[in-house]
Amino acid sequence: MTLRSRLVSLSWMCFLVSICQARRATDDKPNIVLIMADDLGIGDLGCYGNDTIRTPNIDLLAAEGVKLSQHISAASVCTPSRTAFLTGRYPIRSGMVSDVNSRVVHSLAVPAGLPLNETTFAAIAKKQGYSTAVIGKWHQGLNRRHRNDHLHHPYNYGFDYFYGMPFSLYEPCWPDPSRDAELAISRRLWICVQLLAVTAFTLTFGKLSRWLCVPCFVILFMVLFIFLLCCFWYFSYTSGLYWDCILMREEEITEQPMKAERAGSIMMKEAISFLERHREEPFLLFYSFLHVHVPCPTTEKFIGTSKHRLYGDNVQEMDFFVGKLLDAIDNLGLRNHTLIYFTSDHGGKLEARLGHVQIGGWNGIYKGGKGMGGWEGGIRVPGLFRWSGKLQAGKVIEEPTSLMDIFPTVAALTGGTVPQDRVIDGQNLMPLLHGAVQHSEHEFLFHYCGAYLHAARWNPKDSQAVWKVHYVTPVFQPPGAQGCYETKGCACSGERVMEHDPPLLFDLSRDPSESTPLTGDTEPLYNLVIETVANAVREHRKTILPVQLQLGKELNEDRIWLQPCCGVFPFCFCDKEGNTSNLGF
């Protein structure tokens, strides 16, 4: 063999080896799709026992993957729960909690937001060469000093792409029959203001240049009229619909106010487009549903399709979109190389009612719901993993796990490392999912309501028991109810909670609905459990460092100069999505 032939052969061998190494590296780093529903009750899904709402696509995800039966949120309301999910840390560590009634980012006009020194799973994945995106609900803040600084935009937390709602759905967002008329009025009124402003400027310039002889009061009257017109326009629209119910693509506002019923279709279109753009490289997609938070905006195609009115319709529409996302992954040939995870940020809201009709989620056999820091119904959520060919189909894991576990799990999957300069409360789930270990790494989990610790659970490594200790519980009203219906939500402190001394004790392995508290007379291990958990709580509190509360009164109040605007403030109406009636869904 000639020297030239040997060199050519050696080059081909090096090329083939490099391809194999690249393929091996790619196989070791799967694509990651994290799907989170909003306010979904664990009892709303067929795979968790519901037989009246149809969720075939989510149920198939459970059948083809691993189901976690004791998956726990770190908070029972949106903002702190999502903070813990993103960072792998109890939200009290980052200050994303409150010591007052408002326990979430209150609006887009507040400076509160996820501190920039926090590291998210997206930032870790990005360092490992992943393309990252969040599509849907953010609710971690937006602006800090002025309306366009976007200090708390997803871009600053490791996400390469964002499309969705920087705030959250709530009642003013839907329905909105007057939106189109107001858009038209806004455009015409803005033209009038511009003409008046140009006229006032021209008259002022002409008077100062002595080209025109115009009384000063005429110019002052015009300026005052413009000012009053702007004030009248702004204060006519005090509803959050105009200031919080917006959609953004990257850093541009595309709809203000948004058309909530079509947002789900546009979000799915954006998600599939992201998958198509990055099919040849590792990616992480956090698909954060607006479903099924009230007011449950639902397209006509699904209205009336369920047995549970609008809420059930909205759940079934969400399941439809999950199916579209799974189909896209399969059609792109990414099924065996993509880990998919599905969950909810916390339990369903019991107090979401229209008259006497329930329009919130169902939490199955579990007591309590959204906003209740300790009761299981507010914090036990679905947890489904599918990674075809890697994870055993149909497996059920009954060990305690947490939404905070996603952070270290993503770090392990992407080849990254978790920060060493802070406490990480989550645990890598891959050994448990693969079956390499049989027991959860969480011996203790702590359950907060705002800044207040309400309960803790203990999962002894040498026992099947899961002990739950409640130090504080909300006072339900009216008496005998199972929620806080009179106040439309439960409190974390003050007169609307009850402190327990001695604390309430339950064994969730025998009493998952927390119906009958154990006592020293009925449980031989009562004193041991109470003392052990109390010691764990004391040790845990030693690790909590004082930080500024982002959701406290100081930072979580509106500042008019922070309100986002797609035009010239206060004329902020726009619709840049155009005709999206034919989205293929």
Side-chain angles (χ1 to χ4, degrees):
M1 182 181 291
T2 65
L3 179 61
R4 181 177 179 181
S5 299
R6 290 177 179 175
L7 289 174
V8 171
S9 299
L10 184 61
S11 299
W12 272 106
M13 289 178 63
C14 291
F15 176 71
L16 293 174
V17 168
S18 66
I19 290 178
C20 292
Q21 289 177 338
R23 176 59 61 88
R24 182 178 301 172
T26 302
D27 288 342
D28 291 339
K29 293 184 177 182
N31 304 314
I32 301 171
V33 177
L34 309 173
I35 307 172
M36 177 175 279
D38 195 4
D39 284 22
L40 178 73
I42 192 171
D44 291 326
L45 302 177
C47 54
Y48 283 92
N50 192 302
D51 58 2
T52 59
I53 297 179
R54 296 190 299 272
T55 55
N57 296 296
I58 298 173
D59 297 345
L60 181 62
L61 195 62
E64 296 177 342
V66 178
K67 182 175 80 170
L68 306 178
S69 65
Q70 197 179 161
H71 201 38
I72 306 300
S73 169
S76 60
V77 290
C78 303
T79 296
S81 169
R82 291 162 182 270
T83 295
F85 175 70
L86 288 163
T87 65
R89 290 154 48 84
Y90 287 108
I92 195 169
R93 298 193 188 279
S94 57
M96 292 295 281
V97 294
S98 171
D99 56 358
V100 293
N101 289 334
S102 182
R103 292 150 56 191
V104 299
V105 170
H106 173 67
S107 76
L108 291 179
V110 302
L114 182 62
L116 293 177
N117 62 353
E118 290 294 327
T119 301
T120 71
F121 54 66
I124 289 181
K126 186 174 181 178
K127 284 185 178 179
Q128 300 304 311
Y130 276 66
S131 296
T132 58
V134 54
I135 293 175
K137 175 175 175 174
W138 176 239
H139 212 187
Q140 297 293 301
L142 184 61
N143 298 315
R144 188 75 172 188
R145 289 179 289 270
H146 58 83
R147 66 171 47 91
N148 291 316
D149 66 17
H150 294 168
L151 195 67
H152 298 303
H153 189 281
Y155 278 3
N156 296 318
Y157 302 96
F159 290 100
D160 297 318
Y161 184 75
F162 170 63
Y163 177 84
M165 196 173 184
F167 188 56
S168 170
L169 278 179
Y170 68 133
E171 286 82 353
C173 294
W174 187 78
D176 174 35
S178 62
R179 179 182 181 277
D180 292 336
E182 287 163 349
L183 274 170
I185 294 171
S186 176
R187 294 189 189 101
R188 287 166 174 75
L189 189 57
W190 172 232
I191 292 172
C192 292
V193 169
Q194 286 179 303
L195 291 173
L196 286 171
V198 170
T199 302
F201 176 79
T202 302
L203 293 177
T204 302
F205 183 78
K207 183 174 181 62
L208 292 175
S209 304
R210 297 184 178 180
W211 294 343
L212 297 172
C213 182
V214 182
C216 292
F217 77 88
V218 174
I219 299 175
L220 291 175
F221 175 79
M222 293 186 69
V223 172
L224 180 62
F225 181 73
I226 293 171
F227 175 76
L228 292 175
L229 192 61
C230 292
C231 289
F232 172 77
W233 180 258
Y234 173 74
F235 289 111
S236 294
Y237 296 98
T238 55
S239 169
L241 168 69
Y242 309 102
W243 309 113
D244 295 323
C245 303
I246 68 174
L247 289 176
M248 296 181 70
R249 177 176 286 106
E250 298 182 317
E251 294 189 274
E252 179 187 22
I253 297 174
T254 58
E255 288 188 57
Q256 187 174 9
M258 62 190 283
K259 285 186 175 179
E261 70 277 4
R262 74 179 185 183
S265 297
I266 302 176
M267 283 168 48
M268 184 53 58
K269 173 186 173 185
E270 292 285 336
I272 294 174
S273 177
F274 175 81
L275 298 179
E276 292 171 344
R277 293 196 305 270
H278 299 284
R279 61 186 299 182
E280 301 297 335
E281 58 190 13
F283 60 79
L284 180 148
L285 170 62
F286 173 26
Y287 193 86
S288 180
F289 270 107
L290 303 182
H291 298 66
V292 290
H293 198 292
V294 292
C296 300
T298 307
T299 58
E300 290 185 5
K301 178 180 177 180
F302 284 91
I303 289 179
T305 60
S306 79
K307 298 178 181 179
H308 296 279
R309 304 197 182 191
L310 186 60
Y311 180 83
D313 300 343
N314 203 236
V315 172
Q316 294 187 171
E317 183 179 59
M318 178 192 66
D319 180 80
F320 169 79
F321 283 128
V322 169
K324 288 299 179 182
L325 190 59
L326 298 181
D327 288 345
I329 291 170
D330 291 351
N331 294 337
L332 291 170
L334 302 174
R335 179 187 179 93
N336 294 334
H337 189 56
T338 302
L339 180 139
I340 300 170
Y341 166 75
F342 178 89
T343 191
S344 176
D345 54 355
H346 47 71
K349 185 172 182 179
L350 303 181
E351 297 87 0
R353 300 168 71 87
L354 184 61
H356 297 288
V357 177
Q358 175 75 13
I359 56 171
W362 184 52
N363 300 313
I365 64 172
Y366 304 109
K367 188 173 185 176
K370 177 180 179 177
M372 306 179 200
W375 292 122
E376 205 73 359
I379 55 178
R380 190 176 291 220
V381 295
L384 306 175
F385 284 89
R386 190 190 81 178
W387 188 3
S388 298
K390 298 287 186 178
L391 298 180
Q392 179 183 341
K395 184 176 182 178
V396 178
I397 295 176
E398 298 181 355
E399 292 289 303
T401 56
S402 170
L403 289 189
M404 296 184 293
D405 297 337
I406 299 306
F407 178 88
T409 302
V410 167
L413 288 168
T414 60
T417 56
V418 299
Q420 302 300 308
D421 61 345
R422 65 199 65 186
V423 176
I424 301 298
D425 300 296
Q427 302 288 340
N428 176 17
L429 286 176
M430 293 314 296
L432 190 63
L433 295 174
H434 280 304
V437 300
Q438 303 302 315
H439 202 75
S440 169
E441 293 296 320
H442 289 291
E443 184 176 6
F444 297 97
L445 283 170
F446 306 98
H447 308 305
Y448 282 86
C449 185
Y452 305 96
L453 192 146
H454 275 203
R457 79 181 61 208
W458 176 29
N459 181 34
K461 296 191 176 183
D462 58 351
S463 170
Q464 296 297 316
V466 179
W467 304 104
K468 181 93 167 285
V469 177
H470 288 265
Y471 299 101
V472 183
T473 58
V475 175
F476 292 153
Q477 44 4 79
Q482 294 297 304
C484 303
Y485 294 100
E486 292 179 353
T487 54
K488 298 185 179 180
C490 293
C492 296
S493 62
E495 297 179 351
R496 290 195 284 143
V497 301
M498 180 180 296
E499 297 185 6
H500 301 281
D501 186 16
L504 303 180
L505 175 64
F506 301 91
D507 179 3
L508 298 179
S509 66
R510 291 178 286 169
D511 183 16
S513 60
E514 299 173 285
S515 60
T516 307
L518 301 171
T519 66
D521 296 330
T522 59
E523 176 51 60
L525 298 177
Y526 179 87
N527 290 329
L528 173 65
V529 174
I530 295 298
E531 182 179 352
T532 301
V533 175
N535 289 335
V537 168
R538 281 193 291 269
E539 292 302 312
H540 165 70
R541 282 178 165 153
K542 291 178 183 177
T543 70
I544 305 297
L545 301 177
V547 293
Q548 184 178 24
L549 296 186
Q550 294 292 316
L551 306 182
K553 189 173 182 180
E554 180 182 353
L555 294 178
N556 207 18
E557 288 193 346
D558 288 352
R559 275 81 158 165
I560 187 174
W561 57 88
L562 294 181
Q563 288 179 326
C565 181
C566 64
V568 177
F569 190 84
F571 302 99
C572 303
F573 286 73
C574 65
D575 182 358
K576 301 177 183 178
E577 293 297 343
N579 183 10
T580 55
S581 59
N582 184 19
L583 290 171
F585 301 123

